[in-house]
Amino acid sequence: MAITTRDRYEQIKRFEGDLSQCMKCGFCTFFCPVYQEEFVESSVARGKNMMIRELLAGELDYTKEYADRLNKCTLCMACTTNCPARANIPNVIVAARADTVEARGIKFPYNIVYRWVLPRRTLFGNVVRFASWFQGIFLPKTEGTIRHLSMFLSALGKGRQIPEIAPKFLRQVVPVVNKPPAGVETRMKVGYFTGCMTDFVLPDLGEHIIDFLNRKGVEVVVPKEQGCCGAPVFLGAGDFDTGRKMADTNVKAFEDVDYIISDCATCTSSLKDYVKFLADTSERKEAYTKFGDKVKDISEFLVDVLKLPASAYQPASEVKGKKVTWHDPCHLVRHLGIKDQPRQIIKSIPGVEYVEMPNADRCCGMAGTFSIYYYDLSKKIADKKVEAIESTGADIVVSSCPGCEIQLLDGVIRNKMPVKVMHIMELLQ
Amino acid sequence: MLETKLISQLQKIAGKEAVLTSKEDLTTYSYDGTTTWAHMPDVVVLPTTTEQVSQILKLANENGIPVTPRGAGTNVSGGSIPIKGGIVLCTAKMNKILDINKTNLTATIEPGVVLQDFNMALAKQGLFYPPDPVSFFGCTLGGNVAENSAGPYCVKYGVTKHYLLGLEVVLANGYVMKLGGVTVKNRTGYELIMLFTGSEGTLGVITKITVKLLPMPPARKTMIAVFDDMEVAGQAVSDIMASGVVPAKIEFVDNFVIRRVEEMTPMGLPVEANALLILETDGSPAAVEADAQQIVDILKKSGAKDVKVAKDANEAAMYWKARSAGFAAVFGAAHTVMAEDVAVPRDKLAEFIRRLGEISKKSGFFIQFLGHAGDGNLHPSIFTDIRDKEQFARAQETMAEIFRAAMELGGVLSGEHGIGLEKQRFLKEAMDPVAIDIMKKIKGVLDPNNILNPGKIWEEGA
């Protein structure tokens, strides 16, 4: 039996400032998507924070109930944004999840997924691929072109409706180096962090982004060594050890580029979060900081770095004359403060009518593993989003987070709405 | 711990999911907005109907189990702390707006409706419910009635009790009693609605509320005035009130809060100012214009260093956000924050501020305060640490001095927070002993087994 010298509250203690900042006013109840469905105090930042304080005080322990209450948070940050004291309780929750994992371990089958499958890109791909062979055989088809996901994710996702696995992954169809076409001058070199969803499910989107950037004079490198961003592992499950391995892999994969662009809000935010949660040594701190600073969301990159003129945003043929609304991914609008850039892009597209939806920045309820653990709750949160989309009368709801897009798609299909869900880059020619 | 049999009976009444028993869940119903008080309940029940509330109380009454009613737990008096354990009866899931009647100018709501949700639903119809405790994002209407809550708007519009037309109350024995109705006038018998208003959950559980409404004022204007001297600011408030104009709100913020708020969310507040008054007028556009001009003139004459009228709704919202962030600035400032809630007559504001200065000097405690200057309800706070016994005792003594200073000026112990646990040690000094005795007798009639929020308002055995 190994004797551990690790502090039981090691990670929480790193965020004691946030932990003590809450003065229990209860404002967060109004903004918390989970509390607004459940109306119990353990759903909301104030309650979770108080449980964590009591854990530190020795009054509570790492029980199943404690772990469950901690997991029941989408990390949407609505509490923090609206907190009069700016208490960042999501920080505390992620840290508390990490300490819980150290104390309790991760249960089957999640342990296999987090520790073995997600960190190994090829294995992950093969598992997804293997499962995809069977999805059409064993699982019922749903309306349109949408099928139940592979058995693998389906087993975890309890029948969530998401797009089918692509026949060929992005990594298999594009080269590592993608130079601008002849006659277009190369302005800069960026690395493309493809994320699992774009890689496995939406390779067309990935190809389109590379092509778009090439045409604007950007050389795009797609390192084969890159892996999952780690969000489900270190943010969702609190497995910081595996998270560090994944972070190190990604940092190494993107060593010599000017910027690292991502089409997924969650990936973008998580890559930047390495330094906050995973930097356990000064070397890692330095490497993660440097890495995180280079990471840009695609819309932020087009608007703030490339500074493309409005004329650069021409409509793809299928969106001409359509009414479009925008859903703010939590990881963009609150975690990174990116709100205007995507709207600016959509509003620049000629022949597309932009309409703002009510509470556009309200969480859609996906939140990765949250929606696997709590699918019913996740659906209820999504239904409020679906209602907001419906009220706009939009033909297309746009976002820039494949996670949100799955959730929106699931919500739209469940509610039998004739609304298309698209990534912002799919709007562009 | 409660017997398993009682737990299963509660589950039978309200449903399994509505009964919380894990230590983790109970922890989250052990506190309110104060920094001093906490106590674990034995069980939490979240009923969804009046009938369930009735059966829960009946069960508790028959078995002598304490019941602490709770809305959102945003109160700052210790009022919703289950100090005797037992059942926390949380009304958060009874949150339907049952009726909004634009012709009658009334609304009927369940107790768990959150004030801000109610305000938003009313605004859609051009209606207005003025009582505005600063906790509006969290607090429930049921809690507002039980605490007789109020906020900045009370300068012009009064407090919760001025808007109540009807209540449905479940008594300790489970009987469901209807009081009042939907008419503005009602002279039938004693004003029993007032008995339950501000009763802090000690006399019954409120399950339905009918309030009167106002049309939304078509125009409003926000002004701020900067002062070098807090007493001068206090006098300016008296001058305004004496001038014949009644602003909707007059709020007072001191230098500590200005600095802290500016640190938390930089918005360009005058960090050098020793006091800031934030005022609002509302009404017809012409009246608002005229009132604003008159207020600006008086403020300047009263010695304000700078007076500004917000040029648009955004600027106005910024100042009000600064005000509402004020309590966060205060409550986050120390391990234990003792917040007073005294109210003094408006013409004694400057004098009271002067006395606070003296008490601060004498005691060595920094006394921070912000509050609803327009109604004389300031919230002087002392920063201390309950773990430091000697210092905490001195802080308590200093609080007593502040309270006594307010009383000498004709003020009251609690303007809006209620007594709860936080202020009960002062009750005997603040209220006629015969009146306290009558309160106890009323409690005895309505709750003979003392199950409803026991241990609150007056000290036991005293």
Side-chain angles (χ1 to χ4, degrees):
Chain A
M1 197 67 182
I3 294 166
T4 171
T5 52
R6 191 186 174 280
D7 186 334
R8 269 164 72 78
Y9 314 120
E10 180 183 302
Q11 296 301 329
I12 299 174
K13 284 184 174 167
R14 292 183 53 225
F15 294 94
E16 261 182 330
D18 293 312
L19 184 78
S20 62
Q21 196 69 35
C22 168
M23 44 26 172
K24 299 181 288 171
C25 72
F27 273 31
C28 44
T29 54
F30 190 78
F31 301 95
C32 173
V34 178
Y35 182 84
Q36 286 296 323
E37 298 303 331
E38 305 217 307
F39 299 104
V40 295
E41 184 79 19
S42 64
S43 301
V44 75
R46 176 176 64 168
K48 289 183 184 357
N49 197 57
M50 287 304 285
M51 276 192 285
I52 296 167
R53 282 190 198 172
E54 291 304 303
L55 179 89
L56 254 65
E59 294 294 327
L60 292 181
D61 206 348
Y62 290 112
T63 57
K64 187 167 138 269
E65 287 78 11
Y66 171 82
D68 171 72
R69 308 301 184 271
L70 279 190
N71 280 338
K72 213 182 256 190
C73 169
T74 68
L75 303 178
C76 78
M77 290 272 284
C79 52
T80 309
T81 308
N82 292 289
C83 174
R86 287 283 181 277
N88 193 328
I89 306 305
N91 276 351
V92 182
I93 292 171
V94 171
R97 285 176 183 175
D99 285 335
T100 307
V101 163
E102 284 296 329
R104 281 177 61 82
I106 305 177
K107 300 281 176 283
F108 181 82
Y110 301 102
N111 55 349
I112 306 290
V113 178
Y114 298 142
R115 295 227 161 112
W116 294 94
V117 181
L118 292 189
R120 291 168 177 77
R121 190 53 163 238
T122 316
L123 174 63
F124 184 21
N126 287 337
V127 169
V128 174
R129 158 87 61 236
F130 176 75
S132 76
W133 291 336
F134 296 97
Q135 67 174 353
I137 303 170
F138 292 113
L139 296 163
K141 282 197 176 189
T142 56
E143 296 98 306
T145 56
I146 307 304
R147 288 183 206 171
H148 284 261
L149 177 62
S150 64
M151 287 169 68
F152 160 64
L153 281 179
S154 184
L156 300 176
K158 299 171 184 116
R160 170 179 295 276
Q161 309 192 51
I162 81 157
E164 63 182 300
I165 302 301
K168 258 190 186 302
F169 299 153
L170 181 63
R171 60 182 53 239
Q172 296 170 308
V173 293
V174 297
V176 174
V177 178
N178 300 268
K179 287 186 184 296
V184 178
E185 191 197 337
T186 303
R187 295 171 63 186
M188 63 178 76
K189 186 165 110 177
V190 304
Y192 180 14
F193 185 85
T194 58
C196 300
M197 280 299 297
T198 303
D199 195 0
F200 300 142
V201 182
L202 308 162
D204 292 351
L205 169 66
E207 283 188 88
H208 177 62
I209 288 173
I210 294 168
D211 176 56
F212 183 91
L213 290 172
N214 282 167
R215 281 185 279 127
K216 307 298 173 200
V218 178
E219 181 184 322
V220 182
V221 181
V222 189
K224 296 273 190 235
E225 299 77 21
Q226 64 176 304
C228 167
C229 69
V233 174
F234 74 94
L235 295 176
D239 183 352
F240 281 15
D241 286 342
T242 312
R244 274 182 205 108
K245 283 182 203 146
M246 298 164 94
D248 292 344
T249 305
N250 287 326
V251 169
K252 206 161 155 238
F254 287 94
E255 253 161 0
D256 44 32
V257 287
D258 303 323
Y259 292 99
I260 301 158
I261 56 133
S262 156
D263 59 44
C264 169
T266 300
C267 295
T268 309
S269 171
S270 307
L271 299 176
K272 285 177 175 292
D273 270 351
Y274 288 170
V275 64
K276 181 159 74 179
F277 293 112
L278 304 177
D280 59 342
T281 62
S282 56
E283 293 80 44
R284 278 205 170 103
K285 190 171 179 194
E286 200 193 323
Y288 292 171
T289 305
K290 212 172 123 206
F291 174 78
D293 288 347
K294 285 201 266 184
V295 176
K296 297 278 171 200
D297 162 67
I298 185 73
S299 67
E300 179 192 19
F301 179 73
L302 299 184
V303 173
D304 296 345
V305 179
L306 283 186
K307 296 190 169 60
L308 293 180
S311 61
Y313 305 117
Q314 292 300 318
S317 56
E318 55 178 325
V319 303
K320 277 180 197 158
K322 300 286 195 222
K323 206 177 188 183
V324 173
T325 191
W326 166 257
H327 158 72
D328 287 296
C330 302
H331 278 117
L332 269 199
V333 69
R334 278 180 294 274
H335 287 249
L336 300 175
I338 296 170
K339 184 179 171 133
D340 297 333
Q341 294 91 329
R343 286 177 173 79
Q344 190 181 323
I345 291 173
I346 302 171
K347 286 176 185 170
S348 301
I349 306 172
V352 163
E353 184 193 344
Y354 178 75
V355 49
E356 178 84 11
M357 78 166 86
N359 303 316
D361 65 353
R362 194 175 193 276
C363 179
C364 68
M366 177 64 181
T369 28
F370 169 86
S371 73
I372 294 172
Y373 286 120
Y374 309 105
Y375 183 40
D376 287 340
L377 177 58
S378 165
K379 271 196 288 196
K380 284 190 206 158
I381 298 171
D383 284 344
K384 289 204 173 127
K385 179 57 71 177
V386 166
E387 225 172 86
I389 296 168
E390 197 165 24
S391 76
T392 63
D395 304 303
I396 304 169
V397 54
V398 181
S399 198
S400 66
C401 176
C404 298
E405 284 162 44
I406 291 178
Q407 179 80 339
L408 297 174
L409 196 60
D410 189 49
V412 163
I413 290 171
R414 275 191 295 107
N415 289 279
K416 303 189 178 15
M417 281 159 60
V419 176
K420 266 192 143 171
V421 180
M422 293 177 80
H423 189 278
I424 188 166
M425 292 304 288
E426 291 177 305
L427 295 180
L428 302 174
Q429 204 178 77
Chain B
M1 278 299 289
L2 293 184
E3 288 171 46
T4 334
K5 199 182 107 204
L6 286 167
I7 301 286
S8 65
Q9 277 172 303
L10 286 172
Q11 288 175 337
K12 215 188 243 168
I13 293 169
K16 227 176 172 155
E17 294 223 322
V19 179
L20 311 178
T21 54
S22 75
K23 201 173 174 197
E24 290 74 13
D25 287 333
L26 298 182
T27 297
T28 63
Y29 291 86
S30 67
Y31 50 80
D32 64 358
T34 55
T35 52
T36 334
W37 304 94
H39 196 283
M40 291 282 273
D42 293 310
V43 60
V44 178
V45 192
L46 295 112
T48 50
T49 66
T50 300
E51 179 54 29
Q52 289 176 3
V53 174
S54 163
Q55 288 183 42
I56 294 163
L57 288 187
K58 203 158 173 269
L59 181 71
N61 198 38
E62 281 163 6
N63 292 278
I65 305 162
V67 178
T68 304
R70 185 185 196 268
T74 57
N75 61 290
V76 282
S77 66
S80 62
I81 306 280
I83 198 76
K84 306 272 176 189
I87 300 170
V88 161
L89 193 160
C90 179
T91 57
K93 288 186 177 178
M94 298 176 75
N95 60 355
K96 285 194 277 297
I97 297 173
L98 301 170
D99 179 50
I100 295 175
N101 189 319
K102 217 176 160 170
T103 312
N104 285 345
L105 287 174
T106 59
T108 300
I109 54 257
E110 291 187 334
V113 171
V114 170
L115 182 56
Q116 178 67 358
D117 284 321
F118 186 47
N119 287 339
M120 281 161 57
L122 293 176
K124 276 187 199 154
Q125 304 196 35
L127 297 169
F128 178 41
Y129 174 72
D132 59 338
V134 181
S135 54
F136 56 89
F137 278 127
C139 68
T140 63
L141 269 300
N144 286 180
V145 176
E147 296 286 340
N148 192 10
S149 307
Y153 269 132
C154 92
V155 182
K156 181 172 176 179
Y157 293 105
V159 304
T160 300
K161 71 177 175 189
H162 298 121
Y163 292 85
L164 295 174
L165 302 179
L167 286 183
E168 179 185 86
V169 183
V170 182
L171 300 179
N173 62 9
Y175 182 79
V176 180
M177 180 169 72
K178 288 189 170 57
L179 293 171
V182 294
T183 60
V184 178
K185 283 182 174 174
N186 187 346
R187 256 313 5 261
T188 321
Y190 288 167
E191 288 285 353
L192 289 181
I193 289 176
M194 286 304 113
L195 194 56
F196 293 92
T197 308
S199 65
E200 303 190 24
T202 61
L203 299 182
V205 177
I206 295 153
T207 47
K208 216 175 275 175
I209 304 154
T210 300
V211 295
K212 67 173 179 179
L213 306 169
L214 297 173
M216 185 67 85
R220 55 184 83 237
K221 243 191 175 59
T222 293
M223 291 141 278
I224 60 162
V226 177
F227 291 86
D228 284 332
D229 187 320
M230 293 198 285
E231 278 179 60
V232 175
Q235 187 55 45
V237 174
S238 305
D239 293 349
I240 291 168
M241 296 310 293
S243 78
V245 57
V246 181
K249 315 177 188 175
I250 310 176
E251 294 292 297
F252 186 106
V253 184
D254 74 352
N255 179 270
F256 174 85
V257 169
I258 298 169
R259 280 176 189 275
R260 280 274 297 183
V261 169
E262 191 62 25
E263 264 169 43
M264 292 192 295
T265 325
M267 52 175 91
L269 296 175
V271 290
E272 299 306 323
N274 275 321
L276 190 66
L277 290 180
I278 311 175
L279 310 93
E280 183 183 296
T281 63
D282 63 3
S284 71
V288 165
E289 207 54 56
D291 285 357
Q293 192 50 55
Q294 190 177 338
I295 291 167
V296 168
D297 290 345
I298 297 168
L299 286 167
K300 282 183 178 160
K301 228 186 278 170
S302 302
K305 200 171 81 177
D306 190 18
V307 183
K308 242 165 95 178
V309 180
K311 56 185 184 306
D312 55 29
N314 283 342
E315 193 183 338
M318 186 185 87
Y319 295 134
W320 289 112
K321 202 174 166 194
R323 167 61 187 92
S324 66
F327 81 96
V330 174
F331 275 78
H335 183 275
T336 311
V337 177
M338 298 178 83
E340 249 318 337
D341 176 39
V342 290
V344 296
R346 285 179 283 224
D347 61 356
K348 296 290 193 311
L349 260 180
E351 170 66 10
F352 182 57
I353 291 169
R354 194 183 60 74
R355 291 204 190 185
L356 284 178
E358 285 172 10
I359 294 170
S360 171
K361 211 176 270 168
K362 206 181 100 196
S363 68
F365 280 107
F366 169 62
I367 299 177
Q368 183 286 325
F369 64 98
L370 80 166
H372 319 299
D375 52 55
N377 182 201
L378 293 179
H379 298 302
S381 296
I382 292 179
F383 303 145
T384 177
D385 190 334
I386 198 166
R387 296 167 299 190
D388 180 343
K389 283 211 172 96
E390 184 274 329
Q391 193 205 49
F392 186 68
R394 280 195 296 118
Q396 281 191 309
E397 191 39 52
T398 307
M399 268 340 235
E401 275 182 55
I402 293 173
F403 149 66
R404 282 173 198 132
M407 290 291 283
E408 276 169 30
L409 295 172
V412 297
L413 171 58
S414 173
E416 61 181 9
H417 295 170
I419 305 300
L421 295 164
E422 187 93 350
K423 312 251 181 291
Q424 57 179 212
R425 69 201 168 93
F426 296 130
L427 188 75
K428 276 198 277 190
E429 288 180 65
M431 207 173 179
D432 190 314
V434 175
I436 295 177
D437 196 44
I438 290 176
M439 288 203 303
K440 289 180 180 173
K441 283 181 176 146
I442 293 174
K443 169 81 171 163
V445 168
L446 287 169
D447 180 17
N449 297 330
N450 194 27
I451 61 158
L452 284 166
N453 210 1
K456 301 295 167 67
I457 305 183
W458 52 84
E459 283 179 310
E460 283 180 315

